[in-house]
Every structure is written in C-alpha cells, then in structure tokens.
C-alpha cells in the first residue's frame, strides 16, 4: 500500500532531500560487502576502503576548485551539514582569539536568511553558552533574497573573526555573491565560510575554493545531490587557520569529536566508507561525461521543469478564479541569480500548512512559511520571507516546490 502511494505522489521537494541515485548506490555496495575493512587498518582489508575515501576527497575538491589541489586533507568528512557548519564557526573563532576587542569579544558577519545550523550556533556564542563570546552583524537581504557584497564588506570590523554567507538559500533559491565576497575577505585577512549545501549539483561552483582567492571553508552535503543522508564534508583551506596571527586550535587535536585521530586528527570516529564512496560518486556524476556536461544538463532540465511548473500553476489559477494576481513568485526574477530548480510561490488567500495537509498524498512539497495550524492575524510565517519583506498575504500561503534531475514532464 505504501509503495503504491509513493508511485502516485509526485515528488517536488528536492531541496529537502534527493533520492539516492542508482549509480551512487551501486558505488556504495562493495563497501558494505567485500571491502568492509577499516580504512585506518594497515593490512590488506584496509587498503581498498582507504583508497575509496581518498578518491572521494578528490571528487569533492573537483566540485569547488578550478584545479583540485593535491592536499586531500583539506576535505574533512562529517555526518551532516549542521556539523560542518558548527565546526567551521568553532574553528574560525578559536583560531582568532588574538582579535578580541577590549571587552573580550569577537565579531561575526552573516546575513538574516541563514540556515538554523548557522544562526543557532552563532546564538550560542552570543549568549556565552559557548566561548569565545561574540557579537554578530546580520546584513539584510533585498526583496529578492540577495545580499550586497559591499554591505557585507562594510560590516567587517577590526575584531571580525569570520564572515559566513550561504551560497544559495534553501527556501527561495537566491544565489549570493560568494565568489566576490571570498576574494575581498581574503584581501582583508578575514576568514570566509560558505554553506554550499543547496548549490552543489545545481550550479557550477568551481573556483569557489581556489587557493588564492576562494573561500577558506565550504560546507558540502551529500543528500542534496544524490548521496545518502548522513554524509557531508567541510573543506578547510590548507593553513588558513595559521595565517595572519591565527593559531590553529586543531594542533591540540579535534575541536569537536575526540578519539582515534581519524580525518587527520580533526574528527575522531571510523570513517563511514560506504557513504563516503557514495558522496564521491555523486560528485563524479556531475562531470563524468566531459567538462560540466552532467551539471549543465541537470541545470537545463531543472530550469525547464521549474518554468513549466510555474506556468501550469499560474495558468490553472487564472482559469479557475478569473484573477491574474492571486500568486506571487518569491526570490530573484533573473534566472542567473537563483537556483534553476527552486520555485517559491505565494498563493493569496491560502494557508500553506492546511494546503499541504490536503495535497500531501498527491504532491510532496514543503511550505515556504512555517505557519501555525491556526489562522488569523497572529499567524506566523518564514523568517526568510519576513527578511525579504514579502507581503503577509502571500507569505502565509507560500509553497516551496523544488524539482530535480529525475523530475519528468508528467510530474509537472
């Protein structure tokens, strides 16, 4: 019965998670059977798993660098994007204590539309629950959900330890000018981290982590581009935590998971080889048929599906209501400034939570607004849409529809 429901329910929530793509599953299986050894073992059974882990590191570097570097230790595998983001913040702060102001505070620059993995972590340092204690400047985005690179740079202070800006927003798909921000942060000797979870597999990120002008730290999440849940990575530029007066806190061992010294001493715990092989294979799929071919084909297909979906929704609403102003698209109008797969659309006179409950067995999507089940003037909605000044009448009825490489014309 459950399998039948899944076949008849159209999946439009690829920003929430992707299915594990068949070639990825195929790449994982040998490490669940024949090559089951521990990659830290020096004997025969450890050699193939160790090789698979290093191969996956190279594959991930090829996603974010124009010319992948030889230093594979720059990729640290983690269990999820939240862990990667938390570690990036902690490394930046602990390495930059020399920059504290007269009150013993460090400073972080971010935006007002970041993922909770960033905002909640920063809040713990603001409150003093974690140390060192910090202040934070949240740079506001415009009505399209994009931040100005000049506003970000202007927010940097003498005690700024970190600038952390997401590459692409998970709700409205807005792309941020992270390449430009990374370059200027490097010139100003301020660490820059970007959460690229939603962007990998949808837009070309090569050059984002180039050694001379790129980001210092980049978060990559497997289940957003065809790998399983439970595997992610954090790129850490070699020596970035030892430059410009910083002192690498990892010289004393891991700052989070202490143990057997895996991941170059950065993260204790035996590596999850099957999942690591899976994320590596998912990365390879984007470029395996030539330069950018898989990535470009996916992006073109997803943009086509998004456009068709928008057309079908707006046309259907106009025909059924006789009104032309019943919907509102949230996010950038310029396709070059947004993810190719993401459609955030507000439906006036609708409460998204109730609509999702009604259509949940037919269409799998999510609310762009975290609405309460009750209606009325106190109904809340997404902080992202609030930050973009989306009118309440559209915000409370917003749906996020996100297509993927496997979305078909019949689906939309």
């Amino acid at each position: 019965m459950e399998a039948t429901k899944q076949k008849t329910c159209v999946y439009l929530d690829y920003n929430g998670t992707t299915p594990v793509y068949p070639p990825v599953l195929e790449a994982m299986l040998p490490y669940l059977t024949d090559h089951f050894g521990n990659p830290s073992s020096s004997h025969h059974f450890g050699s193939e798993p160790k090789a698979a882990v290093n191969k996956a590191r190279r594959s991930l570097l090829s996603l974010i660098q124009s010319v992948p570097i030889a230093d594979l230790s720059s990729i640290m595998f983690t269990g999820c994007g939240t862990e990667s983001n938390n570690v990036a913040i902690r490394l930046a702060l602990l390495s930059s204590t020399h920059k504290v102001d007269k009150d013993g505070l460090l400073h972080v620059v971010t935006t007002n539309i970041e993922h909770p993995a960033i905002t909640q972590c920063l809040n713990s340092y603001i409150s003093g629950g974690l140390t060192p204690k910090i202040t934070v400047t949240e740079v506001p985005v415009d009505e399209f959900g994009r931040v100005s690179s000049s506003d970000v740079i202007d927010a940097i202070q003498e005690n700024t330890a970190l600038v952390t800006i997401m590459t692409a927003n998970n709700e409205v798909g807005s792309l941020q000018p992270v390449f430009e921000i990374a370059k200027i942060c490097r010139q100003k000797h301020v660490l820059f981290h970007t959460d690229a979870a939603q962007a990998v597999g949808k837009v070309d990120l090569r050059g984002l982590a180039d050694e001379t002008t790129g980001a210092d730290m980049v978060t990559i999440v497997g289940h957003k581009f065809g790998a399983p849940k439970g595997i992610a990575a954090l790129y850490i530029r070699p020596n970035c935590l030892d430059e410009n007066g910083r002192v690498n806190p990892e010289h004393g061992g891991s700052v989070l998971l202490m143990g057997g010294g895996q991941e170059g001493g950065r993260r204790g715990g035996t590596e999850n080889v099957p999942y690591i092989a899976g994320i590596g294979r998912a990365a390879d799929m984007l470029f395996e048929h030539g330069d950018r071919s898989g990535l470009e084909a996916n992006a073109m297909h997803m943009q086509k599906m998004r456009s068709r979906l928008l057309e079908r929704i707006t046309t259907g609403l106009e025909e059924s209501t006789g009104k032309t102003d019943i919907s509102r698209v949230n996010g950038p109008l310029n396709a070059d400034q947004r993810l190719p797969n993401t459609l955030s659309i507000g439906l006036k006179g609708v409460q998204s939570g109730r609509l999702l409950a009604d259509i949940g067995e037919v269409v799998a999507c999510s609310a762009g607004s975290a609405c309460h089940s009750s209606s009325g003037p106190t109904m809340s909605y997404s902080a992202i849409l609030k930050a973009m000044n989306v009118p309440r009448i559209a915000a409370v009825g917003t749906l996020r529809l996100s297509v993927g490489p496997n979305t078909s014309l019949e689906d939309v």
Side-chain angles (χ1 to χ4, degrees):
M1 184 67 175
E2 188 63 31
T4 302
K5 285 184 179 180
Q6 290 189 10
K7 288 180 181 178
T8 57
C9 184
V10 176
Y11 189 73
L12 297 177
D13 197 20
Y14 277 78
N15 281 14
T17 193
T18 63
V20 175
Y21 298 151
V24 172
L25 179 59
E26 184 180 355
M28 294 170 59
L29 289 176
Y31 302 97
L32 291 166
T33 54
D34 296 339
H35 304 306
F36 59 85
N38 188 322
S40 297
S41 298
S42 58
H43 53 64
H44 169 77
F45 285 92
S47 59
E48 185 62 32
K50 182 177 181 179
V53 170
N54 286 332
K55 181 179 184 298
R57 294 190 209 277
R58 294 188 187 93
S59 298
L60 293 188
L61 285 173
S62 71
L63 295 178
I64 57 176
Q65 293 186 325
S66 302
V67 179
I69 61 175
D71 191 346
L72 299 183
S73 67
S74 60
I75 293 290
M76 179 181 75
F77 289 111
T78 66
C80 59
T82 295
E83 180 186 345
S84 293
N85 288 342
N86 278 217
V87 170
I89 291 170
R90 186 147 187 80
L91 288 174
L93 297 180
L94 291 179
S95 67
S96 302
T97 54
H98 66 290
K99 298 184 74 173
V100 296
D101 65 11
K102 60 182 178 60
D103 297 315
L105 300 174
L106 290 174
H107 176 248
V108 175
V109 178
T110 188
T111 75
N112 59 349
I113 63 165
E114 296 298 311
H115 190 278
I118 294 292
T119 58
Q120 293 302 314
C121 183
L122 292 177
N123 286 341
S124 294
Y125 289 97
I126 293 172
S127 68
L130 293 175
T131 56
K133 197 168 183 179
I134 64 172
T135 60
V136 173
T137 297
E138 290 189 349
V139 181
V141 296
D142 61 19
E143 62 182 305
F144 303 111
R146 301 189 78 236
V147 74
S148 163
S149 57
S150 60
D151 287 348
V152 172
I153 301 307
D154 288 345
I156 293 176
Q157 304 172 6
E158 286 188 10
N159 66 329
T160 300
L162 175 68
V163 175
T164 176
I165 310 284
M166 60 169 41
T167 307
N169 182 261
N170 51 303
E171 283 194 29
V172 299
S174 52
L175 293 169
Q176 308 302 338
V178 291
F179 286 80
E180 181 180 359
I181 294 171
K183 182 177 180 179
I184 300 175
C185 283
R186 187 72 68 87
Q187 294 169 352
K188 289 184 171 289
H189 308 304
V190 175
L191 289 171
F192 177 63
H193 163 257
T194 184
D195 179 354
Q198 285 294 342
V200 173
K202 299 165 188 169
V203 294
D204 193 348
L205 297 180
R206 286 177 298 176
L208 178 59
D210 278 2
E211 283 196 273
T212 56
T213 60
D216 297 294
M217 293 180 280
V218 180
T219 294
I220 299 171
V221 180
H223 76 98
K224 303 297 186 181
F225 64 107
K229 303 166 193 65
I231 185 64
L234 178 66
Y235 164 80
I236 305 171
R237 181 173 64 82
N239 303 315
C240 72
L241 301 175
D242 291 294
E243 298 171 343
N244 304 305
R246 289 185 285 268
V247 178
N248 190 343
E250 294 178 318
H251 290 331
S254 173
V255 299
L256 187 63
L257 295 178
M258 281 67 79
Q262 290 86 355
E263 294 301 284
R266 284 176 162 155
R267 184 182 191 268
T270 301
E271 291 90 346
N272 187 347
V273 181
Y275 282 37
I276 289 172
I279 195 173
R281 183 69 182 99
D284 289 341
M285 288 174 65
L286 298 172
F287 301 105
E288 64 184 349
H289 298 303
D291 191 44
R292 295 185 61 184
S293 62
L295 180 63
E296 285 187 339
N298 285 350
M300 290 176 62
H301 173 75
M302 291 187 290
Q303 180 61 53
K304 181 180 178 181
M305 295 300 100
R306 179 193 181 278
S307 297
R308 177 179 167 85
L309 186 60
L310 176 59
E311 180 183 5
R312 293 293 301 274
I313 292 173
T314 54
T315 300
L317 288 173
E318 290 176 13
E319 291 177 349
S320 62
T321 66
K323 299 178 181 179
T324 59
D325 63 345
I326 199 169
S327 64
R328 180 190 194 276
V329 175
N330 307 314
L333 301 178
N334 185 337
D336 293 334
Q337 296 178 351
R338 66 170 185 253
L339 294 174
N341 79 315
T342 305
L343 174 61
S344 173
I345 185 166
L347 308 176
K348 298 176 183 177
V350 174
Q351 200 275 320
S352 57
R354 292 176 179 173
L355 178 59
L356 286 173
D358 290 340
I359 66 173
E361 297 300 321
V362 180
V363 178
C365 60
S366 65
S369 55
C371 299
H372 298 307
S373 58
S374 61
S375 60
T378 60
M379 189 188 315
S380 67
Y381 56 92
S382 162
I384 307 303
L385 300 181
K386 286 181 180 178
M388 295 166 57
N389 293 316
V390 174
R392 172 182 287 271
I393 192 172
V396 297
T398 289
L399 297 180
R400 183 192 69 183
L401 305 160
S402 49
V403 301
N406 297 330
T407 304
S408 67
L409 286 171
E410 291 73 23
D411 290 334
V412 298

